[in-house]
Amino acid sequence: MQNALIIAAEETHNPLVPPVYDIVWSAVAFVIILAVFYWVIIPRITKMLDERTEAIEGGIKKAEAAQEQAAAALDEYNKQLAEARAEASRIREQARADATAIGNEVREQAAADAARITANAQAQIEAERQSALQSLRTEVGSLALDLASGVIGESLKDDAKSNAVVDRFLADLEASKAGER
């Protein structure tokens, strides 16, 4: 019996070591799965990752190109803005110069108009003065002749004589005014 037990003990399998046919069939399945992964799944994953990498790199290149275009557009905008500011400054300076020239021209025109108006007014005043003096001389002469006719008692209708009397009277009157001053 002991021999039978020893033989039986030798025939009993270790539960941790599987039988050989299980190892072979497991190895075949593992090789098939490994081959599918190596030739099918890994190339697809690699292809997908490469496409993603290319898409990301393409996006980065597009972003860099867009950023360069934006920087170029910003530089162009700043250049145009500087030109516009310079043009606006030049226009302002030109407007100031034009305003100064127009102001000077208006002042000169106003001064010329004022001088002309003053000269016309003085000429008109002088004409009115002469007219008033003439009228006054005539009126005073007429009154003086009437008064002298009344004092003398005879008519002084002779024009030459009456004009001489009036002129002498007015000359005496002007001399007396000059002496009072």
Side-chain angles (χ1 to χ4, degrees):
M1 207 147 221
Q2 270 189 344
N3 278 343
L5 283 174
I6 293 178
I7 293 176
E10 285 179 7
E11 283 186 20
T12 58
H13 291 270
N14 185 357
L16 295 178
V17 177
V20 174
Y21 70 89
D22 278 344
I23 292 176
V24 170
W25 285 111
S26 295
V28 169
F30 181 72
V31 167
I32 290 172
I33 290 173
L34 189 62
V36 167
F37 263 93
Y38 185 74
W39 282 297
V40 176
I41 294 176
I42 290 178
R44 286 185 183 174
I45 290 174
T46 305
K47 181 180 175 184
M48 183 180 67
L49 290 176
D50 289 342
E51 288 174 357
R52 264 187 140 178
T53 302
E54 287 176 12
I56 290 171
E57 288 175 354
I60 289 173
K61 287 179 183 177
K62 286 180 184 176
E64 287 173 351
Q67 190 173 13
E68 288 175 8
Q69 287 177 347
L74 180 63
D75 289 341
E76 181 66 25
Y77 170 75
N78 286 335
K79 179 182 173 184
Q80 288 176 353
L81 184 61
E83 289 174 1
R85 285 182 177 157
E87 180 70 16
S89 176
R90 187 187 62 74
I91 289 171
R92 269 194 310 272
E93 291 302 319
Q94 183 64 37
R96 284 186 187 132
D98 290 347
T100 303
I102 289 171
N104 290 340
E105 185 178 312
V106 167
R107 277 189 216 102
E108 290 172 4
Q109 183 67 30
D113 288 347
R116 183 180 46 81
I117 289 170
T118 303
N120 287 343
Q122 287 177 348
Q124 187 175 4
I125 289 170
E126 185 61 30
E128 290 291 326
R129 184 177 162 275
Q130 291 299 328
S131 174
L133 278 176
Q134 186 65 30
S135 174
L136 184 62
R137 186 173 278 223
T138 304
E139 191 68 29
V140 168
S142 171
L143 285 174
L145 284 176
D146 287 346
L147 187 61
S149 294
V151 169
I152 296 176
E154 67 179 67
S155 176
L156 295 173
K157 295 292 183 189
D158 184 16
D159 282 340
K161 200 185 221 185
S162 63
N163 281 342
V165 170
V166 168
D167 287 340
R168 191 175 34 146
F169 175 72
L170 288 176
D172 290 343
L173 185 62
E174 286 176 6
S176 66
K177 275 188 181 179
E180 289 177 4
R181 288 187 191 170

